[in-house]
Amino acid sequence: MTVQKPPVKEEGLTEENTSRPNRFLLFWEYSKKDLMSVVYTILAVGLFLSIWELLGYYNVLKEPQFFRPSVIFAQTWVLTKSGEIFIHIFSSLARLLISFSLAAIFGLLIGLLMGRYKAVKAFFDPLVTFFIPIPGIAWAPLIFVWVGVEPLFSRWGLIDSTSWWWKFGLGNPVLIIIGTIAGIFPVIQNINMAVRTADKKLIWAAQTMGASNNYIFRKVLLPNSLPFLFTGFKLGLARSWRTIIATEFLSAAMEGLGYFIFFNRTLETRLTRINIYVGIFVLSVVFYVIELGLKYLERITIEKYGMVRKGGESL
Amino acid sequence: MSTKKDSNSSSDKVYHDPLEEKTPTDTSTEENSQSRLADFKEHSKKYLWNIGKALLPFASLFLLLEIAMLIVHAVNPDISDNLFPIPHELVAYAWRAFFPGKDSFEPSVALHIGRSFARVAIGFAIGVVSGILIGILMGISKWFYRLLNPLFSLMISIPTLAWVPILLTIFGLNPTTIVITVFLGCFFPIVYSTTNGIRSIDKKLIWAARIMGANKFEIFFDVLLPGSLVSIIAGLRLAIGYSWRAIVGAEMLVALTDVKGIGYYIIGGKVANQTAQILVGIFLIALCGLLLDAVLMKPLEYFTLRRWGMVEKTEG
């Protein structure tokens, strides 16, 4: 008697296995959550705006204080078409760029020195702890009194106030100094944290395997501290931005989103009241775009090293 | 002594209930009380040493500025004392700001600080109540989350002080505007942290409670609330910092009328070209910010989280 073997199914050649999976279905399965969240966002914002519009239409939210979203968007479109709003956006952004790069450079320098030398750390640590709760705008009166609101170099006749770089906010030292002061503390604090949490065993392991200092810095210390650095830069940028906008409320700078909003507040006509809403709308859009850019940067720098898990895993 | 220490260290390995540890049974023995006294002395010495170390940079900065300013004033006597005050004059100015004489027209700084604290208290209280309620609703209900999360995440990218112009057109130049700015400053972080705290609770815990027959209220009070408490209190701690920052800016922007408050005090220094007034104001803002955190938030964190056993006892 011979034992009959069951027929062996050959894999990879049957009709079921050769047929390709439906790409659209796969895509849907893969990104269902993200797509649905976008849909819900649009629905929620649409609902909010339409309720607001209706309340405005039936005079529940009355005109001198509240305006319908359609009116605000129309005015935004007018200002965009005439290009008037862009000069304010770009001058605020230019101030942000300069002051934040100064904050990043000095913050990095101080933070690294604090990590390297104990004396520097002992000196700066209490100062940073003390000065962190001060809002950036509290420094504004001091800088106004000390530096003055007149443009940089103007007293030596180097520029006139109609030149392009004065228009783009580069000539206003007060705003840049205050933005730098506001942005520097989170950077220092986070670099400190990075230095404190650096795992010594990893460094020792690299050293026993004969790595050079340069190699250790590039392959161990930098990837280890990159998330902290990024958090510090993100917080510092946000604080610089807030402080610059708030200081533009107070200062006599002729450009900038904060100036645009507060200047329109002082003239009490219908159009200027709409302009306040337009300014705040543009403000939130600009910062939202900056945040999106930061997220992209985070993805291409930090997730490359595998230091932060990729998003989309929450609940 | 050495045997005592040995027995202590060996008993550390055994698990102790944190509530039990606070009431040791053998307090009557003299040896124990002596060792505790020594412990206390050592601790306080360390504490004082830490404080001294923290004050040292301020003292050195003070001396440095004192010498620099004396040199500057000696070289160029035209520089006004109002603009660049010498540090020891600053101390005298702070004293006079707190205790102005009877013939002075200006009120004490203590009044300004009191007004600011009162406004922060009102705004923060409204923010805490409404923020935690809405945060819990968003954490529990899926549809609330879908409806409100996009709006809040858009609104959170607006700087708090940018609301002030709108509030000024609605409420006018008065303290209501300031209180509502404070409310807006602390509302969003509280909502965000509460929602995140509830949503990040392990679903298996809820399932387990449900299997054991807990009803919805029990699940909420015994699972969701304790589980999200760490996040909520971290949010409160963030929020009080935010509201303290918001009030300074708001008072500066509303300073056209005679609202008191620390921001008003600082802006007054700018108007009068009195650098000393501004510097005293800045120092007071920093001190009050640290004080709010140390007096209000740290004990809250300690009592709630430690009592509920959410955080391990930390060393040192």
Side-chain angles (χ1 to χ4, degrees), chain A residues 172-183:
Chain A
N172 203 317
V174 178
L175 293 164
I176 290 171
I177 292 172
I178 293 167
T180 310
I181 293 174

Side-chain angles (χ1 to χ4, degrees), chain B residues 246-313:
Chain B
I247 199 165
V248 177
E251 280 167 354
M252 283 164 104
L253 294 177
V254 188
L256 287 176
T257 54
D258 188 17
V259 290
K260 300 283 194 292
I262 194 74
Y264 177 82
Y265 182 74
I266 290 185
I267 243 358
K270 183 204 161 194
V271 172
N273 261 3
Q274 269 286 357
T275 315
Q277 189 174 337
I278 301 172
L279 283 170
V280 167
I282 288 177
F283 265 78
L284 284 175
I285 287 168
L287 273 180
C288 292
L290 288 176
L291 210 71
L292 274 178
D293 196 53
V295 173
L296 215 64
M297 281 300 141
K298 274 199 180 145
L300 184 74
E301 206 172 59
Y302 183 88
F303 282 119
T304 51
L305 298 186
R306 187 69 66 76
R307 250 197 87 81
W308 290 39
M310 302 306 293
V311 177
E312 297 277 316
K313 206 174 180 185

